[in-house]
Amino acid sequence: MAIRLNETALRHARSLVRDGEVERDERDDWSEHAPTTDEENAFIDEEGWTEYRHWHLGIDDEADEETKEAYSFPYGDFNRVHRCGVISLESRAGQFDHDEIRDAAKRLLELIDEE
């Protein structure tokens, strides 16, 4: 498993933040705000894998790009960036030594908080 920063998703997230598409929720809200499996599946069916990829800061180049296994560290609900999701992924990325993803999440959080 070789998870790396998904630069396209990071640009997408920054664009959403700049456009005001942000939920400024609390740290522990992600478990309630994260998309469910059914919501993920519906999004993939409607929008496709490319759009699904844009909502995850982690990408595994060794996994099949048309499986959920290829994508990690989600930051939103397919409509808006969630502050709690960014906080959660920053913490998880740090725990698993994905420093580039952790640092990108930290900068994204700073952008959210300054807007």
Side-chain angles (χ1 to χ4, degrees), residues 73-89:
F73 302 109
Y75 62 80
D77 63 4
F78 306 123
N79 292 303
R80 299 168 63 97
V81 175
H82 279 254
R83 185 176 184 276
C84 62
V86 176
I87 291 169
S88 176
L89 81 86

Side-chain angles (χ1 to χ4, degrees), residues 7-19:
E7 296 280 353
T8 303
L10 181 59
R11 284 191 298 276
H12 182 248
R14 286 180 183 152
S15 176
L16 288 168
V17 171
R18 289 186 190 111
D19 290 345

Side-chain angles (χ1 to χ4, degrees), residues 35-45 49 52 56 58-60 63-74 78:
T36 65
T37 300
D38 288 342
E39 290 169 334
E40 287 179 334
N41 292 340
F43 184 83
I44 293 165
D45 288 345
W49 287 103
Y52 183 78
H56 296 81
I59 190 166
D60 183 347
D64 182 341
E65 66 182 22
E66 292 193 359
T67 65
K68 291 181 188 178
E69 178 185 0
Y71 309 105
S72 56
F73 302 109
F78 306 123

